[in-house]
Amino acid sequence: MKVDKQELVKVLHAEGDNDRADRLAGADLPDQIDTDRDADALTAVGLDRATLQAKLAGGAIGGNLMI
């Protein structure tokens, strides 16, 4: 899956998950995150695949999701 980094940061902030949002914003990740390619970097900021999928399942950033 691919997801826009800034949109994910916005969703995390909107959910009150500010620490994780700030870690993601400061992480060395491209603007377009590929969840497979960038799995280790996402895990480092506390977004494992299950957590990320749960956030996406809510539809909050579905418009920016590319499968």
Side-chain angles (χ1 to χ4, degrees), residues 1 15 49-62 65:
M1 284 186 288
E15 293 179 347
R49 189 162 180 85
T51 303
L52 187 57
Q53 286 180 332
K55 302 236 179 256
L56 296 174
I61 58 175
L65 175 65

Side-chain angles (χ1 to χ4, degrees), residues 32-65:
Q32 192 70 26
I33 297 171
D34 181 314
T35 58
D36 292 326
R37 177 194 66 211
D38 302 316
D40 290 340
L42 288 168
T43 300
V45 298
L47 285 170
D48 60 26
R49 189 162 180 85
T51 303
L52 187 57
Q53 286 180 332
K55 302 236 179 256
L56 296 174
I61 58 175
N64 295 309
L65 175 65

